[in-house]
Amino acid sequence: MTDVKGLSIAILGGTGDQGKGLARRFALAGHPVFIGSRSAQRAQEAAETIGAGATGDENAAVAARADLVIVAVPYDGHKALLESLRGELAGKIVVDCVNPLGFDKQGAYALPVEEGSAAQQAAAVLPDSRVVAAFHHVSAVVLMDPAVDKVDLDVLVLGDDREATETVQALAAVIPGVRGVYGGRLRNAHQVEAFTANLISVNRRYKAHAGLRITDI
Ligand SMILES: NC(=O)c1ccc[n+]([C@@H]2O[C@H](COP(=O)([O-])OP(=O)(O)OC[C@H]3O[C@@H](n4cnc5c(N)ncnc54)[C@H](OP(=O)(O)O)[C@@H]3O)[C@@H](O)[C@H]2O)c1
């Protein structure tokens, strides 16, 4: 497996549940973690709640500093934020975990995305970055729960750059219990993002934080 020891990780929108959950697990695994936000102060406050050496700053500053950047903002702000960081993100692995979902009385449903998926939108906006899709099905609640030592989950990792997907698979595996499993090219990211709507339905019916396991590998 690819060696990701010492890889520094920035999280755009790292003040939210998903960003903080991932930041906590990567910081606990010994990675330098930089929380990004539209506000340096909010980022620093979030970093303090995470501890384990995490620091915080504005999105552009953390994007420029890190080896690998995770995008953990709502779909609404996704495209505009990435467009504003094209320079900072050039040449880097950019991991998109954004699920374009709508919610109504019947629950969650997948939104149509012109580019096909949020990950493909990221790749279109960031032609000089190595965009990988991953971490769509992790539960932020589980990642933040100090009682959960091992997270029972496979992370599907999709992308067109083999070295980049292998790096992200290895990164997923630093979270105890997690496997990073290659899930195909970026053009297949839509159904992975959309499947989150099914998982949300499962969670509501069974009062769970359901994850995904791939069998026979
Ligand atoms: N929550 C989960 O369990 C989970 C699991 C898998 C994937 N995801 C995906 O991860 C992403 C983040 O989820 P979340 O629950 O953490 O969301 P969130 O709390 O609503 O948002 C995360 C952060 O994004 C920033 N943000 C909000 N609107 C923005 C905008 N228009 N432009 C730029 N930044 C903006 C905010 O940070 P500042 O105000 O500090 O800038 C906010 O704290 C979503 O796309 C979601 O689909 C979530």
Side-chain angles (χ1 to χ4, degrees):
M1 197 182 286
T2 305
D3 183 8
V4 290
K5 199 164 178 281
L7 193 80
S8 63
I9 300 160
I11 306 189
L12 308 179
T15 54
D17 290 345
Q18 168 77 340
K20 277 196 286 197
L22 289 171
R24 176 171 177 274
R25 296 288 170 167
F26 294 136
L28 287 175
H31 288 273
V33 171
F34 314 136
I35 299 287
S37 166
R38 289 168 294 182
S39 145
Q41 193 191 333
R42 276 202 298 278
Q44 283 151 15
E45 286 164 6
E48 274 168 36
T49 67
I50 290 157
T55 60
D57 208 334
E58 287 183 5
N59 285 319
V62 298
R65 202 177 306 150
D67 298 321
L68 175 147
V69 180
I70 298 176
V71 189
V73 297
Y75 175 60
D76 271 0
H78 178 253
K79 190 172 185 178
L81 178 70
L82 296 184
E83 277 171 345
S84 75
L85 298 177
R86 201 174 273 144
E88 288 84 349
L89 296 173
K92 300 198 179 186
I93 297 177
V94 175
V95 183
D96 204 291
C97 68
V98 171
N99 294 311
L101 298 178
F103 293 86
D104 63 15
K105 272 193 249 168
Q106 294 180 44
Y109 61 96
L111 295 173
V113 177
E114 198 186 328
E115 296 84 350
S117 63
Q120 286 167 288
Q121 183 179 81
V125 169
L126 304 171
D128 300 325
S129 301
R130 305 159 78 191
V131 175
V132 173
F135 300 111
H136 302 87
H137 306 143
V138 295
S139 158
V141 175
V142 170
L143 292 176
M144 285 305 284
D145 188 345
V148 178
D149 295 333
K150 277 191 158 187
V151 180
D152 186 13
L153 180 76
D154 284 344
V155 167
L156 285 178
V157 179
L158 294 87
D160 299 331
D161 176 327
R162 184 156 187 162
E163 195 191 21
T165 54
E166 286 178 350
T167 298
V168 178
Q169 284 174 255
L171 185 63
V174 307
I175 304 173
V178 173
R179 290 192 309 176
V181 177
Y182 175 67
R185 298 291 187 128
L186 221 50
R187 67 180 181 180
N188 283 318
H190 166 76
Q191 53 270 33
V192 173
E193 295 171 6
F195 183 66
T196 307
N198 302 77
L199 279 179
I200 290 171
S201 303
V202 171
N203 288 343
R204 286 191 177 170
R205 176 68 58 92
Y206 298 99
K207 311 268 179 278
H209 299 293
L212 186 77
R213 281 293 191 197
I214 305 296
T215 59
D216 202 33
I217 53 165

